[in-house]
Amino acid sequence: MQTNLKAMRKYDAGLIFVTIVAAVGFISVLLSLSPITNANPKYSQLSYLKETEGKALDFRTVAQTSLDEWQSVSSPINLGMDTKVHWFSMIVSPTQSTGSRYLLHIDYPLIDHLDVAVFSQLGSSPVVTYASGDAEPFDNRPVLHVKPLFPLPESAQSQRVIIRVQTSGTIRLPIRIWEEAEFISFTSSRNLALGIFFGILVAMGVSNAFLTVTTSNVSFLFYSGYIVNLALILATLHGYGFAYLWSGSALFQSKAILLFSNATIMFAALFTRSLLPISVYSGKVDKIVKALSWVYGISIVTSFFLPYSFMIKAFLLLLSFTVIFVMWLGIWLALKGVVVARYFTIAWGFLLVSGLSASLDNVNLIQLPISSNNLLIIGGAVETLILALILAINYSHSRDDLVDAQQFALEQEKHANSAKENLIEVQKRHQEDLEYKVEERTLELEVTLRELSEANNELERLNAIDPLTGAHNRRHFDKRLRSEGRRSRREQTPLSLIIIDVDHFKSINDRYGHDGGDECLKHVTRVFQNHIHRPTDDLCRIGGEEFAVILPNTDIEGALHVAESMRRGLESSPLVYGNESIQLTASAGLSTTVIVDEDHAQRLFKFADELLYEAKSAGRNRVEYKTLQEKL
């Protein structure tokens, strides 16, 4: 008995040492996970507006709302749980240098619908709009990042950014405006730290699953289930689950937090029953722990059918009771003389208190000085290490009892020594497997970072500007046509499209060469741009000498006026090239419609192109126009 007490004191010293080292280590990791808060935020006048019932707003009407109706707020924003639409507005500083754009980063992925519009100082319509949120398919995000990320247009003037938020959970908006290079550096360090952390969790979960087979001890199985689900919770909170595991299912993303949270506590309750001798001291308390595991198991199923807002509140209420009960249970058994209960209480104290604090912070009942997600990482990491030590201590005690019981027989003593050697070998193999998996995860992370760098370089290369004329290119045209088609369908406004082609351009190239042809295309672009006055109208070069003009919210009469002014302007503006004057004319096809489905914009484009060829056939230097309905 005296030997066991000495062993306990050694374990106590080891536990304190591991706890201190783990806490210091993971707090230092926390510092690398959080952006620098004292840096220039690059935005000001952050405020919000809550949409009232019966008064649906859009970006245009919100931008014109009086400033007196907006309420000031500071980042990180936390307005608690509210399913109503909230609008947020801020003024973004001018771009510091050309070629280094700003990125709007929302460091919280659990928002159902998140729409962003950017307005210039004088424009009443947004320069660009984005749609994101985990209720939308992941591939629809403007930037395929684990957290909502939106590129802001370069501007020498301040811009106004308006954000529309609607979610069934907590309205949290930790807002940060990054320079692109700065964000890449921050993301690299964060991904490295989180990759190592998740790699360790997964490796521990897998190794304990193997220990279940080798030792036939169900405690390892429950501990493995707990570790895996804890890793999935943290992966969901940081956006990695939706980005890499179930990116095609927005429905599962909306349920993931509830599913994994309930599964984690269910396995924790089962692990508690297998680790602690509860039934020896009280059958009623053992039934309560068993009932808790059933309740959380049932909650996993009901999470698929009941609303998230109801289930998360029920979970928080049940979690509050569980925290108090489990802490009481550990203290009660420790007072009964169960030594392992002391370690159990310390371990669960880290996770349960951090988990409860993070949950209450998410619903805005308390305010934490650090990110609740990072708090969970610290609590989970420290608790996981201590529980692993507890499991080893408990298993070591069981092994020692077995050796003591078999000391009376020499043959049994030999078998016990052999079993001990086998166990050491198994532990060595699993330690090597753990180190291999950590190295493998680190290598995968380096590959991912390299791929991210290559993708960013490719993104810079795929510029939206035609290098010859300075007009937008075909890639930009296709994207803008889809975007304006959706706006037309949503707002039921007419969308006009002009396809315009320079007449006899081949003969110009043959006579003046490609250099002369290039100068003609530049001249044509300048003339056309002089006749486009609205910031929403868009001139694109979609072929060799073929251009397209997108005219949102424009009927056929207004579009015809633009097309004729462009045609007449080109006709009356010959290009002086060398010592010669080159007379240029153009033919155009024009069509207008109100978009009704996803393919309607492409039909509008094809019909306008057909009208262009009719203009060519009718003698050139003319505009043929019809509404798309006239064709149908």
Side-chain angles (χ1 to χ4, degrees):
M1 185 66 179
Q2 185 67 23
T3 302
N4 286 336
L5 289 176
K6 290 181 179 179
M8 289 301 139
R9 286 194 289 271
K10 292 179 181 179
Y11 287 138
D12 282 339
L15 177 63
I16 294 172
F17 176 77
V18 170
T19 302
I20 294 174
V21 171
V24 172
F26 282 97
I27 287 174
S28 65
V29 171
L30 169 65
L31 297 178
S32 69
L33 295 179
S34 301
I36 303 173
T37 56
N38 60 358
N40 181 11
K42 301 182 181 65
Y43 66 87
S44 60
Q45 302 180 35
L46 181 61
S47 57
Y48 78 95
L49 176 67
K50 184 175 181 180
E51 189 170 298
T52 58
E53 293 184 5
K55 185 181 179 182
L57 303 174
D58 57 24
F59 282 116
R60 190 184 300 272
T61 55
V62 165
Q64 298 172 356
T65 303
S66 172
L67 296 178
D68 296 336
E69 298 183 32
W70 295 82
Q71 300 183 45
S72 296
V73 69
S74 59
S75 181
I77 299 169
N78 188 344
L79 301 182
M81 297 186 68
D82 194 338
T83 57
K84 292 184 178 179
V85 176
H86 285 69
W87 298 85
F88 298 87
S89 172
M90 61 182 174
I91 303 299
V92 178
S93 303
T95 306
Q96 297 299 318
S97 62
T98 59
S100 178
R101 62 178 177 175
Y102 283 163
L103 298 174
L104 170 60
H105 182 212
I106 308 297
D107 197 16
Y108 182 69
L110 304 181
I111 300 176
D112 294 343
H113 300 282
L114 183 66
D115 301 321
V116 174
V118 182
F119 293 79
S120 64
Q121 281 189 331
L122 302 178
S124 60
S125 297
V127 176
V128 65
T129 59
Y130 301 110
S132 186
D134 60 6
E136 302 290 337
F138 184 80
D139 291 339
N140 288 353
R141 295 187 175 185
V143 179
L144 297 182
H145 190 264
V146 293
K147 304 286 180 64
L149 189 66
F150 308 95
L152 302 181
E154 293 184 2
S155 174
Q157 304 295 326
S158 297
Q159 301 179 92
R160 185 182 185 187
V161 176
I162 296 180
I163 305 173
R164 180 186 184 274
V165 174
Q166 186 175 24
T167 183
S168 58
T170 304
I171 299 178
R172 292 173 61 90
L173 267 81
I175 296 174
R176 179 70 187 269
I177 303 294
W178 298 87
E179 289 188 7
E180 190 170 9
E182 180 186 13
F183 180 76
I184 292 174
S185 175
F186 163 70
T187 303
S188 299
S189 61
R190 168 177 278 196
N191 287 344
L192 177 62
L194 289 177
I196 295 174
F197 172 73
F198 285 119
I200 292 174
L201 285 187
V202 172
M204 291 185 69
V206 172
S207 62
N208 278 277
F210 290 156
L211 286 174
T212 304
V213 178
T214 57
T215 64
S216 299
N217 190 334
V218 73
S219 296
F220 290 105
L221 176 62
F222 295 148
Y223 182 70
S224 178
Y226 160 75
I227 288 294
V228 170
N229 281 281
L230 178 62
L232 289 171
I233 290 176
L234 296 174
T236 304
L237 288 173
H238 284 272
Y240 292 98
F242 191 41
Y244 301 112
L245 301 179
W246 52 85
S247 58
S249 177
L251 176 61
F252 185 82
Q253 170 68 8
S254 66
K255 307 292 184 181
I257 284 293
L258 283 173
L259 296 178
F260 298 137
S261 297
N262 283 289
T264 299
I265 305 302
M266 181 189 72
F267 278 106
L270 294 172
F271 175 73
T272 300
R273 289 189 71 229
S274 66
L275 181 68
L276 301 179
I278 303 174
S279 58
V280 175
Y281 295 93
S282 175
K284 292 182 179 180
V285 175
D286 183 68
K287 290 180 179 179
I288 293 175
V289 178
K290 184 178 181 180
L292 277 176
S293 64
W294 275 100
V295 170
Y296 283 105
I298 294 172
S299 295
I300 295 175
V301 178
T302 56
S303 296
F304 284 100
F305 308 102
L306 296 180
Y308 175 88
S309 57
F310 170 79
M311 288 302 299
I312 192 64
K313 293 176 182 176
F315 172 78
L316 291 177
L317 183 62
L318 188 59
L319 179 63
S320 300
F321 167 78
T322 304
V323 170
I324 298 173
F325 175 77
V326 171
M327 295 299 294
W328 169 83
L329 177 63
I331 296 173
W332 175 63
L333 288 177
L335 294 176
K336 292 287 186 180
V338 181
V339 178
V340 74
R342 287 185 297 176
Y343 311 110
F344 177 87
T345 304
I346 295 173
W348 283 103
F350 275 97
L351 180 66
L352 294 177
V353 172
S354 63
L356 181 61
S357 300
S359 299
L360 295 177
D361 178 62
N362 276 331
V363 296
N364 204 27
L365 293 179
I366 63 174
Q367 295 290 334
L368 294 176
I370 64 174
S371 168
S372 58
N373 292 349
N374 294 338
L375 179 63
L376 276 176
I377 288 180
I378 295 173
V382 176
E383 180 269 355
T384 299
L385 291 175
I386 298 177
L387 276 185
L389 178 62
I390 293 173
L391 207 54
I393 292 173
N394 191 58
Y395 191 80
S396 177
H397 289 174
S398 300
R399 184 196 60 202
D400 292 340
D401 291 341
L402 179 63
V403 171
D404 291 338
Q406 295 175 342
Q407 284 179 346
F408 297 100
L410 179 61
E411 189 65 24
Q412 294 298 320
E413 180 68 17
K414 292 180 180 179
H415 287 300
N417 290 334
S418 178
K420 183 177 180 180
E421 292 173 357
N422 291 336
L423 177 60
I424 293 174
E425 183 63 25
V426 169
Q427 290 174 337
K428 181 180 178 180
R429 287 201 304 271
H430 284 296
Q431 179 64 30
E432 293 173 350
D433 184 60
L434 176 61
E435 293 173 355
Y436 170 78
K437 289 185 178 296
V438 171
E439 293 175 356
E440 185 179 41
R441 287 289 178 177
T442 303
L443 179 60
E444 291 176 357
L445 181 59
E446 291 174 352
V447 172
T448 301
L449 292 175
R450 188 161 55 249
E451 291 175 348
L452 177 61
S453 178
E454 293 172 356
N456 284 331
N457 292 335
E458 180 68 12
L459 183 62
E460 293 177 1
R461 189 184 68 80
L462 294 175
N463 202 310
I465 301 301
D466 176 44
L468 175 63
T469 64
H472 287 124
N473 59 18
R474 179 60 183 263
R475 178 184 179 91
H476 173 85
F477 169 76
D478 292 336
K479 183 184 295 186
R480 182 69 189 279
L481 183 60
R482 286 195 301 271
S483 174
E484 292 301 336
R486 290 169 182 161
R487 183 197 300 275
S488 172
R489 182 176 62 181
R490 182 172 63 251
E491 300 178 359
Q492 288 299 292
T493 55
L495 175 63
S496 294
L497 181 62
I498 304 171
I499 306 298
I500 188 165
D501 186 86
V502 180
D503 295 330
H504 305 295
F505 187 74
K506 184 178 183 301
S507 62
I508 294 174
N509 261 340
D510 294 340
R511 181 174 179 181
Y512 298 101
H514 288 291
D515 288 342
D518 289 348
E519 289 301 320
C520 288
L521 290 176
K522 294 177 183 178
H523 175 71
V524 168
T525 302
R526 289 192 294 269
V527 172
F528 287 171
Q529 286 176 336
N530 288 336
H531 293 276
I532 295 176
H533 305 294
R534 298 190 308 175
T536 56
D537 299 343
D538 204 348
L539 172 66
C540 306
R541 183 190 177 196
I542 60 174
E545 67 273 14
E546 192 173 21
F547 296 81
V549 183
I550 301 173
L551 302 171
N553 197 14
T554 305
D555 57 20
I556 196 165
E557 290 81 7
L560 178 59
H561 174 75
V562 175
E564 284 290 351
S565 65
M566 293 169 65
R567 183 192 64 79
R568 290 193 299 268
L570 182 61
E571 183 181 19
S572 61
S573 303
L575 170 65
V576 177
Y577 180 71
N579 296 324
E580 295 188 46
S581 176
I582 304 176
Q583 182 65 45
L584 298 170
T585 62
S587 303
L590 161 65
S591 186
T592 303
T593 191
V594 175
I595 302 301
V596 297
D597 57 48
E598 194 68 26
D599 299 327
H600 207 181
Q602 279 301 316
R603 293 200 294 272
L604 177 66
F605 171 68
K606 291 179 180 178
F607 186 49
D609 198 48
E610 292 173 7
L611 291 174
L612 167 63
Y613 282 100
E614 290 183 15
K616 292 281 189 182
S617 301
R620 293 184 169 82
N621 194 21
R622 57 185 294 125
V623 178
E624 291 291 338
Y625 61 95
K626 289 181 183 178
T627 63
L628 184 57
Q629 286 75 9
E630 293 182 57
K631 176 184 178 182
L632 302 178

